[in-house]
Amino acid sequence: MIVTVTPSPAIDWTVAVDSFDFDAVNRATKSTREASGKGVNVSWALHRAGVPTTTVFPGGGQTGRFMDEAFEAAGLPYVRVETGREVRTNITLITPGHSTKINEPGVDLDDEQFEEFAARVLDVGRDAKVVLICGSLPPSMGPERLRALVERLREHVDVIVDSSGEALATALQARPALIKPNVHELAELVQRDIRTFGDVIEGAHAAIDRGAGAVLASLGADGAMYVSAERSVVATSSNIPFVNSVGAGDALLSGFVAVDGDPAERLRNAVLWASSAVAHDSTLFPIRPEFATRITVADVVDRDLPLEESSAPLASTRPSMSLADGT
Ligand SMILES: O=P(O)(O)OC[C@@]1(O)O[C@H](CO)[C@@H](O)[C@@H]1O
């Protein structure tokens, strides 16, 4: 059982338009509302792939009930800690070639609610295979509370943290088994520029020195890397149609934890799931097995190769990219 924890869940309201003009009426071609948040997205992906999972989150009001109904209809096990406050709504605007987000701040928990939330996480998480704590923190939770939660969980189970800024930096002190930063989050964490594959490896090693067991770095158009003390593997995909990048990092993490074994194979599955997410307009993406042949996995052989500037995720492999034969 894989347990996901989302301290700041969200209703993702995704609106697609064929074109967008400021100061004009833009007509939506599609509009959906989904029970989301980073950990929730991971559980959705695992559940759809038949991997046992439970998702834990705080929330209340009509939006809390909306989330209950979504999980109940899908048969996805969940624990919602009642807060009496509505779950935030995050907006995604999809225009051709772009996805633009506006995220509301996380909805706060009072001390008693936080204690209950932490107790439920420990209760459900202690017998899990792994616990993932994902996304931003509500203001009252604070990095110290995240660190303490990771520390208590770690007595029983491996913990993965997908967060950023001070929350991620502080959580490292509790020695999570894995972190999943993007390039900017990794650069901020280790306080250095990350421009090449070699920089990612060095940044990841700096994070490992500070407490991370390993690093799964999402690299946008350059794919993803897994870096541990012993190994650095990169995976890229090519010819993936770009529709929506929102949730691609969550898909990457889900694909990584969904399988066991060699990190290269786990990374391959991670990029397959992330590519499938990028090719779909919502965070509830179907896995596209036909993309498997478009993925290359290799130990890093060219550390000096610069990362792409493009923010389009997982959509291209440069011919210049120097990879050893896929493993
Ligand atoms: O505000 P956070 O917690 O950092 O991110 C929340 C969020 O943007 O992340 C998911 C995509 O990764 C979305 O479902 C959700 O709206």
Side-chain angles (χ1 to χ4, degrees), residues 145-233:
R145 279 182 154 165
L146 173 64
R147 186 193 55 73
L149 187 59
V150 176
E151 215 152 61
R152 288 169 74 188
L153 280 164
R154 269 204 64 240
E155 292 167 16
H156 311 278
V157 63
D158 277 348
V159 183
I160 295 175
V161 175
D162 176 11
S163 198
S164 57
E166 210 191 322
L168 177 59
T170 309
L172 278 192
Q173 295 165 14
R175 311 189 72 78
L178 183 81
I179 59 171
K180 194 224 66 66
N182 62 29
V183 172
H184 305 293
E185 291 163 348
L186 182 60
E188 187 188 7
L189 179 68
V190 299
Q191 297 285 297
R192 57 175 85 179
D193 283 348
I194 297 198
R195 298 184 195 283
T196 64
F197 285 85
D199 292 341
V200 177
I201 297 173
E202 273 156 35
H205 280 282
I208 291 167
D209 288 345
R210 282 172 49 191
V215 177
L216 174 65
S218 45
L219 308 180
D222 285 306
M225 276 178 83
Y226 169 83
V227 181
S228 66
E230 302 81 31
R231 188 129 184 234
S232 304
V233 194

Side-chain angles (χ1 to χ4, degrees), residues 4-325:
T4 67
V5 180
T6 311
S8 284
I11 305 297
D12 271 6
W13 178 24
T14 304
V15 183
V17 291
D18 286 338
S19 65
F20 180 81
D21 294 312
F22 286 101
D23 301 320
V25 175
N26 298 278
R27 303 275 174 196
T29 52
K30 194 169 174 187
S31 173
T32 56
R33 284 178 176 74
E34 286 161 346
S36 290
K38 290 195 193 302
V40 170
N41 292 345
V42 171
S43 276
W44 275 127
L46 293 171
H47 181 68
R48 287 197 308 278
V51 180
T53 182
T54 296
T55 191
V56 188
F57 60 93
Q62 279 186 359
T63 41
R65 284 192 294 281
F66 172 86
M67 294 189 76
D68 293 351
E69 282 162 19
F71 299 133
E72 273 155 25
L76 198 171
Y78 71 97
V79 175
R80 176 167 65 85
V81 174
E82 180 61 54
T83 60
R85 297 188 190 98
E86 297 290 336
V87 174
R88 67 182 167 151
T89 295
N90 291 346
I91 301 170
T92 302
L93 176 66
I94 300 189
T95 47
H98 301 276
S99 30
T100 306
K101 274 204 117 239
I102 302 176
N103 285 9
E104 289 188 348
V107 176
D108 236 342
L109 287 75
D110 62 30
D111 285 351
E112 202 177 312
Q113 289 165 348
F114 175 75
E115 287 312 322
E116 191 194 339
F117 179 61
R120 298 303 301 273
V121 169
L122 283 163
D123 192 32
V124 182
R126 73 174 68 236
D127 297 323
K129 181 176 159 195
V130 60
V131 176
L132 292 82
I133 306 180
C134 305
S136 57
L137 304 179
S140 64
M141 183 159 164
E144 271 307 315
R145 279 182 154 165
L146 173 64
R147 186 193 55 73
L149 187 59
V150 176
E151 215 152 61
R152 288 169 74 188
L153 280 164
R154 269 204 64 240
E155 292 167 16
H156 311 278
V157 63
D158 277 348
V159 183
I160 295 175
V161 175
D162 176 11
S163 198
S164 57
E166 210 191 322
L168 177 59
T170 309
L172 278 192
Q173 295 165 14
R175 311 189 72 78
L178 183 81
I179 59 171
K180 194 224 66 66
N182 62 29
V183 172
H184 305 293
E185 291 163 348
L186 182 60
E188 187 188 7
L189 179 68
V190 299
Q191 297 285 297
R192 57 175 85 179
D193 283 348
I194 297 198
R195 298 184 195 283
T196 64
F197 285 85
D199 292 341
V200 177
I201 297 173
E202 273 156 35
H205 280 282
I208 291 167
D209 288 345
R210 282 172 49 191
V215 177
L216 174 65
S218 45
L219 308 180
D222 285 306
M225 276 178 83
Y226 169 83
V227 181
S228 66
E230 302 81 31
R231 188 129 184 234
S232 304
V233 194
V234 62
T236 55
S237 58
S238 56
N239 300 322
I240 305 298
F242 177 90
V243 179
N244 178 15
S245 60
V246 175
D250 308 332
L252 184 84
L253 188 51
S254 332
F256 192 82
V257 296
V259 291
D260 297 317
D262 179 35
E265 283 318 307
R266 299 180 76 188
L267 190 62
R268 182 189 297 282
N269 197 56
V271 171
L272 174 64
W273 288 28
S275 302
S276 305
V278 165
H280 197 69
D281 60 3
S282 93
T283 45
L284 306 187
F285 61 93
I287 294 165
R288 305 274 296 269
E290 71 274 20
F291 288 173
T293 54
R294 306 181 198 174
I295 295 170
T296 310
V297 185
D299 286 275
V300 177
V301 294
D302 187 351
R303 295 170 60 108
D304 295 331
L305 192 70
L307 295 170
E308 276 203 1
E309 293 291 312
S310 162
S311 60
L314 295 165
S316 71
T317 299
R318 287 165 293 158
S320 64
M321 192 155 185
S322 175
L323 297 172
D325 286 340

